[in-house]
């Protein structure tokens, strides 16, 4: 008897039959997963201060503290800090605590229309400054170390320039400084966000924010990031997810990341106008013309030692945009390190998990001594 030809349809049927048990197993696995299993940002911490919707936390130590100077994490307004604490084995927070660092965190909360008038002036000169003052009073220190992440790194850099007397060290990770450094010589897949933002007319930015109720919705920003990697976004819920169904650990990693992506807060509109116009479009920070509370943010005024870490394959913040800081600051100690990973991988990939915390902790220990 002649065997049926192996047509595309027959191949598909064979694939379904071979994977039927796998689908059943995946369904049972998903049915047994609850919200608590996908908990993120779960490292124990204590709320010590609240101002409006902004909260200051102090993480509970996991070892005896050997780095004396307190470290304040300043995350960006785009996204949530929980990205730094996805799960025990993928947590910059836990890694730093395990290296005996006194770790603090600013949580910006969930800004809404009531916060649409907040500017970067408010975040730098009010919220961050109050947090630093509170930490100094609580610990007896005169200064703190700032650990700025992405947009939060820009806020931390501005604070270090305007309040130099309060900053012991400045550590930046994935932070843009020169928003036009990618124009010449950047890889084709790098800087798409920069290119898109620069292509908008300033009045278009105003129209977008006004039409959206004075805020930039988290869902809107999420869609922009999704469009930057369209093929990856199209395949992650079928091809990629199917590959993870067989292993619970991989599936949980996927679900925790998706939970973080879905928890993107709204960005206050006025701060968003500054971010898009004065940074991305006009590049005022490196030109020495960016103002906060009526004062010019002069990068040469930074006197604290600076550690600048960036991702060499970053498609959101091209490495050149971060590296530019080295030529703009004054005569302070400066060190930069590029890691072979992408923007997200800098904080959560297996390769960077140990190295990022190790680099930060070792650098801080030397300064502390």
């Amino acid at each position: 008897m002649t065997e049926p030809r192996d047509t595309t349809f027959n191949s598909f049927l064979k694939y379904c039959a071979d994977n039927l048990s796998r689908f059943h197993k995946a369904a049972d696995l998903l049915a047994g997963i609850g919200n608590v299993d996908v908990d993120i940002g779960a490292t124990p911490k204590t709320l010590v201060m609240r101002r409006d919707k902004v909260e200051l936390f102090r993480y509970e130590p996991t070892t005896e503290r050997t780095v004396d100077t307190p470290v304040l994490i300043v995350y960006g307004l785009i996204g949530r800090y929980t990205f730094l604490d996805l799960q025990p084995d993928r947590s910059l927070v836990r890694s730093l605590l395990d290296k005996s660092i006194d770790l603090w965190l600013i949580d910006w909360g969930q800004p809404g229309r009531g916060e649409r008038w907040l500017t970067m002036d408010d975040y730098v000169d009010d919220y961050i400054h109050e947090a630093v003052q509170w930490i100094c009073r609580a610990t007896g220190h005169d200064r703190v170390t700032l650990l700025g992440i992405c947009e939060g790194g820009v806020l931390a850099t501005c604070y270090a320039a305007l309040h130099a007397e309060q900053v012991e060290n400045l550590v930046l990770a994935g932070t843009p400084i020169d928003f036009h450094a990618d124009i010449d010589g950047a890889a084709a897949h790098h800087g798409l966000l920069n290119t898109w933002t620069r292509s908008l007319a300033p009045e278009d930015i105003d129209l977008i924010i006004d039409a959206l109720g004075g805020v930039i919705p988290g869902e809107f920003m999420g869609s922009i990031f999704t469009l930057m990697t369209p093929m990856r976004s199209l395949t992650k819920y079928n091809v990629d997810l199917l590959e993870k169904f067989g292993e619970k650990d991989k599936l949980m990693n996927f679900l925790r990341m998706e939970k973080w992506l879905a928890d993107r807060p709204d960005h206050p509109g006025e701060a968003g106008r500054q971010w898009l116009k004065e940074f991305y479009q006009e590049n005022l920070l490196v030109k020495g013309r960016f103002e906060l509370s009526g004062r010019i943010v002069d990068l040469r005024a930074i006197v604290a030692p600076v550690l600048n870490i960036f991702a060499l394959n970053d498609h959101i913040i091209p490495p050149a945009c971060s590296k530019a800081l080295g030529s703009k600051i004054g005569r302070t100690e400066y060190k930069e390190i590029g890691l072979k990973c992408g923007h997200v991988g800098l904080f959560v990939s297996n390769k960077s998990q140990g190295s990022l915390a190790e680099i930060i902790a070792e650098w801080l220990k030397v300064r502390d001594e």
Side-chain angles (χ1 to χ4, degrees):
M1 185 173 181
T2 305
E3 292 289 332
R5 288 190 307 162
D6 187 22
T7 63
T8 301
F9 182 66
N10 284 337
S11 297
F12 174 71
L13 290 177
K14 184 176 184 302
Y15 173 83
C16 291
D18 291 343
N19 286 277
L20 186 60
S21 61
R22 189 180 182 188
F23 293 145
H24 284 304
K25 182 179 179 181
D28 292 339
L29 180 59
L30 284 171
I33 294 175
N35 190 57
V36 68
D37 299 309
V38 199
D39 196 15
I40 58 178
T43 299
K45 57 187 180 295
T46 302
L47 174 64
V48 297
M49 185 196 79
R50 179 183 288 114
R51 185 175 179 86
D52 302 326
K53 289 185 177 179
V54 178
E55 296 177 329
L56 175 65
F57 290 91
R58 188 179 195 178
Y59 282 99
E60 297 179 13
T62 57
T63 63
E64 183 179 354
R65 290 173 180 140
T66 58
V67 178
D68 194 42
T69 305
V71 175
L72 174 62
I73 297 176
V74 182
Y75 198 76
L77 301 169
I78 302 171
R80 294 264 289 151
Y81 76 90
T82 48
F83 180 53
L84 306 176
D85 189 25
L86 286 177
Q87 58 192 52
D89 62 337
R90 294 195 181 196
S91 171
L92 178 62
V93 166
R94 288 179 184 260
S95 296
L96 291 174
L97 288 172
D98 290 343
K99 296 185 182 303
S100 307
I101 290 176
D102 184 9
L103 201 59
W104 302 66
L105 167 81
I106 293 180
D107 180 2
W108 303 121
Q110 298 284 355
R113 293 192 65 190
E115 288 71 44
R116 63 188 182 277
W117 306 115
L118 289 177
T119 64
M120 290 192 169
D121 311 52
D122 297 305
Y123 284 98
V124 172
D125 285 327
D126 188 346
Y127 296 131
I128 293 179
H129 188 57
E130 180 62 26
V132 170
Q133 296 289 92
W134 207 101
I135 294 171
C136 288
R137 290 193 297 268
T139 62
H141 285 268
D142 297 325
R143 294 181 293 274
V144 305
T145 290
L146 294 181
L147 170 53
I149 310 293
C150 196
E151 183 189 17
V154 177
L155 300 178
T157 299
C158 292
Y159 186 86
L162 294 175
H163 302 273
E165 72 285 353
Q166 300 267 214
V167 182
E168 184 74 23
N169 305 289
L170 176 62
V171 181
L172 304 175
T175 297
I177 297 295
D178 183 346
F179 288 73
H180 291 181
D182 62 298
I183 292 177
D184 298 321
H189 62 291
H190 288 173
L192 294 177
L193 181 61
N194 298 29
T195 302
W196 177 77
T197 307
R198 288 193 296 260
S199 72
L200 295 173
E203 54 268 25
D204 289 337
I205 293 175
D206 291 329
L207 287 171
I208 291 171
I209 294 175
D210 292 341
L212 295 172
V215 299
I216 307 176
E219 296 87 347
F220 178 82
M221 291 186 290
S223 67
I224 297 297
F225 290 116
T226 297
L227 290 172
M228 292 175 66
T229 54
M231 290 307 297
R232 186 184 304 167
S233 301
L234 284 172
T235 60
K236 72 174 182 177
Y237 293 123
N238 41 63
V239 178
D240 292 349
L241 185 56
L242 182 62
E243 292 178 352
K244 294 175 175 60
F245 272 146
E247 299 182 44
K248 183 175 181 179
D249 288 344
K250 288 185 178 180
L251 178 60
M252 296 307 297
N253 291 345
F254 178 88
L255 293 176
R256 291 187 183 104
M257 178 61 75
E258 289 302 300
K259 183 174 182 177
W260 172 74
L261 289 170
D263 186 28
R264 195 178 294 277
D266 296 343
H267 195 297
E270 292 307 307
R273 293 182 213 268
Q274 289 174 291
W275 182 243
L276 296 174
K277 291 182 182 180
E278 299 184 36
F279 286 97
Y280 273 96
Q281 293 193 333
E282 301 175 52
N283 206 24
L284 296 185
L285 183 60
V286 295
K287 293 178 179 178
R289 292 165 42 202
F290 181 64
E291 290 188 23
L292 286 177
S293 305
R295 296 172 294 166
I296 291 290
V297 178
D298 186 355
L299 296 177
R300 296 170 299 178
I302 297 175
V303 297
V306 178
L307 173 62
N308 186 14
I309 306 170
F310 47 86
L312 294 173
N313 299 318
D314 198 325
H315 72 288
I316 296 175
I317 301 169
C321 297
S322 298
K323 294 179 66 174
L325 178 62
S327 63
K328 301 298 180 182
I329 57 178
R331 296 180 178 178
T332 185
E333 178 189 350
Y334 175 83
K335 182 176 183 178
E336 65 181 35
I337 297 176
L339 298 179
K340 292 183 179 181
C341 55
H343 186 77
V344 172
L346 181 62
F347 304 99
V348 301
S349 72
N350 288 328
K351 291 182 179 179
S352 66
Q353 266 312 291
S355 58
L356 181 59
E358 185 70 28
I359 289 168
I360 294 173
E362 289 303 314
W363 189 83
L364 289 177
K365 286 178 181 178
V366 172
R367 308 279 106 41
D368 209 53
E369 293 170 356

